[in-house]
Amino acid sequence: MGYFRHHAIVVTSWDNKKIALVHECIKTLVTDSLLKVSELTAQTMNGYQSFFIAPDGSNEGWTDSDESEVLRGKVIEHLKSYRYEDGSTSIEWVEVQFGDENGVQKVLSAS
């Protein structure tokens, strides 16, 4: 039996063209992996759209979990590449940890 700790990434933006591009790029990046990307939401107030990358469901320390961790790192690096020269971005994101067997929930990284 392994130890469970879930990780997910949530992405949102008011820039519909850019978030659609980011969404497609990330779907391609994680193809054939345990990481699954949701569809884009319908536009909400002020035109915001979002999508998320679901937890991989693997136990911590298992090969699948380790491979997913590396891939989440690549996704985050890709998200960072959308920053403007001044460091700001229209692509907001957060990586969260939850469902930890010790009750530890936290933000691991964010835009």
Side-chain angles (χ1 to χ4, degrees):
M1 177 109 171
Y3 181 83
F4 284 100
R5 176 183 294 144
H6 302 296
H7 297 94
I9 300 172
V10 181
V11 183
T12 194
S13 181
W14 54 265
D15 186 335
N16 304 123
K17 289 181 182 178
K18 190 173 281 184
I19 197 168
L21 172 67
V22 171
H23 183 250
E24 287 303 315
C25 289
I26 290 176
K27 284 194 327 186
T28 300
L29 182 65
V30 303
T31 298
D32 299 326
S33 76
L34 288 177
L35 298 183
K36 303 303 177 207
V37 180
S38 74
E39 294 301 318
L40 277 169
T41 63
Q43 289 184 24
T44 60
M45 184 68 89
N46 295 310
Y48 278 91
Q49 288 185 281
S50 302
F51 69 93
F52 84 106
I53 300 158
D56 58 42
S58 180
N59 294 42
E60 287 295 304
W62 289 12
T63 301
D64 288 334
S65 177
D66 293 344
E67 290 173 0
S68 294
E69 186 70 24
V70 169
L71 198 48
R72 276 190 299 274
K74 290 180 181 179
V75 166
I76 289 167
E77 287 306 310
H78 183 77
L79 291 168
K80 288 178 179 179
S81 76
Y82 290 94
R83 288 184 176 152
Y84 303 118
E85 287 182 18
D86 68 357
S88 65
T89 184
S90 63
I91 302 296
E92 300 290 340
W93 56 271
V94 63
E95 178 188 15
V96 295
Q97 170 187 311
F98 62 99
D100 182 285
E101 291 180 5
N102 290 326
V104 178
Q105 281 65 244
K106 60 184 174 179
V107 172
L108 299 173
S109 59
S111 55

